[in-house]
Amino acid sequence: AQSVTQPDIHITVSEGASLELRCNYSYGATPYLFWYVQSPGQGLQLLLKYFSGDTLVQGIKGFEAEFKRSQSSFNLRKPSVHWSDAAEYFCAIGTDKLIFGTGTRLQVFP
Amino acid sequence: KAGVTQTPRYLIKTRGQQVTLSCSPISGHRSVSWYQQTPGQGLQFLFEYFSETQRNKGNFPGRFSGRQFSNSRSEMNVSTLELGDSALYLCASSAETLTDTQYFGPGTRLTVL
């Protein structure tokens, strides 16, 4: 079965600290992979996506993600978190539809 | 370029009623997808329309239906509302395929009493 797992429900970091959000997927082949961010009261915004090629993907707002086929993972990283990054982050795989993980809520302390 | 718009933004209905939600995609986009977001089930795919035809469908009961018009605007309808249908309904549009960049609207918050 196709599924996405985000093991961390809630993460708290200090502003300026580095960040890594974990994402693992289950799929028979290499799916299309996405990270979205959702701020309160807003829809989802695409941060980055991976289809093929270079396994390190750069996105908007200083985010990057690395695809590791051997680990079925697509973790999101940011070297220095800003207070405005506080939001909920969703990893998703795309086959004939988008399948989302349950999300990770990021809280940023000043 | 205007983004994806959804109307209404908030809706309160009672059990047994039906509801219609509307989505206007980004100009030029032909694919419109609908998602349900709840605290318990997260984000779940409802269906996708492309060129007025349903192209993909998620695992929701037949009470959930949709359609797409020739201008790519889409509506979804939920009949015989249940308390569990309370959710944020998100619409997303993309140029052609589901895996093109999907742009999401702000959602319609449906509350069923």
Side-chain angles (χ1 to χ4, degrees), chain A residues 32 34 36 38 41-46 49 51 88 90 94-102, chain B residues 9 35 37 42-45 48 56-58 88 90 98-107:
Chain A
Y32 296 154
F34 305 84
Y36 284 86
Q38 185 178 34
Q42 311 244 342
L44 281 79
Q45 181 182 22
L46 179 69
K49 60 186 178 184
F51 291 170
E88 188 143 25
F90 293 92
T95 56
D96 57 347
K97 58 183 178 289
L98 283 181
I99 299 171
F100 286 88
T102 49
Chain B
R9 291 293 309 278
Y35 296 85
Q37 185 175 25
L43 277 155
Q44 293 186 288
F45 173 77
E48 182 218 1
N56 285 299
K57 188 177 187 304
L88 181 67
L90 293 164
L98 202 62
T99 47
D100 288 327
T101 298
Q102 289 202 49
Y103 295 88
F104 282 79

Side-chain angles (χ1 to χ4, degrees), chain A residues 7-101:
Chain A
D8 303 306
I9 296 172
H10 187 202
I11 283 183
T12 301
V13 299
S14 298
E15 191 170 19
S18 64
L19 173 70
E20 183 168 26
L21 303 182
R22 296 183 289 164
C23 172
N24 292 95
Y25 66 89
S26 174
Y27 185 65
T30 299
Y32 296 154
L33 294 156
F34 305 84
W35 274 99
Y36 284 86
V37 61
Q38 185 178 34
S39 299
Q42 311 244 342
L44 281 79
Q45 181 182 22
L46 179 69
L47 288 174
L48 46 77
K49 60 186 178 184
Y50 173 79
F51 291 170
S52 64
D54 192 347
T55 56
L56 186 62
V57 181
Q58 301 298 319
I60 63 171
K61 303 186 181 188
F63 286 93
E64 66 177 26
E66 185 172 13
F67 168 60
K68 292 186 178 180
R69 185 190 310 273
S70 61
Q71 298 176 20
S72 297
S73 70
F74 188 55
N75 293 349
L76 182 72
R77 301 193 294 245
K78 186 168 185 178
S80 178
V81 170
H82 188 262
W83 64 266
S84 61
D85 293 324
E88 188 143 25
Y89 292 80
F90 293 92
C91 179
I93 61 174
T95 56
D96 57 347
K97 58 183 178 289
L98 283 181
I99 299 171
F100 286 88

Side-chain angles (χ1 to χ4, degrees), chain B residues 8-23:
Chain B
R9 291 293 309 278
Y10 301 91
L11 207 48
I12 299 175
K13 293 286 187 179
T14 56
R15 278 183 300 172
Q17 287 187 310
Q18 75 164 18
V19 67
T20 299
L21 311 182
S22 181
C23 172

Side-chain angles (χ1 to χ4, degrees), chain B residues 45-64:
Chain B
F45 173 77
L46 280 154
F47 30 64
E48 182 218 1
Y49 285 86
F50 180 81
S51 291
E52 301 179 63
T53 301
Q54 187 180 88
R55 186 161 66 174
N56 285 299
K57 188 177 187 304
N59 298 321
F60 278 81
R63 300 186 297 107
F64 292 82

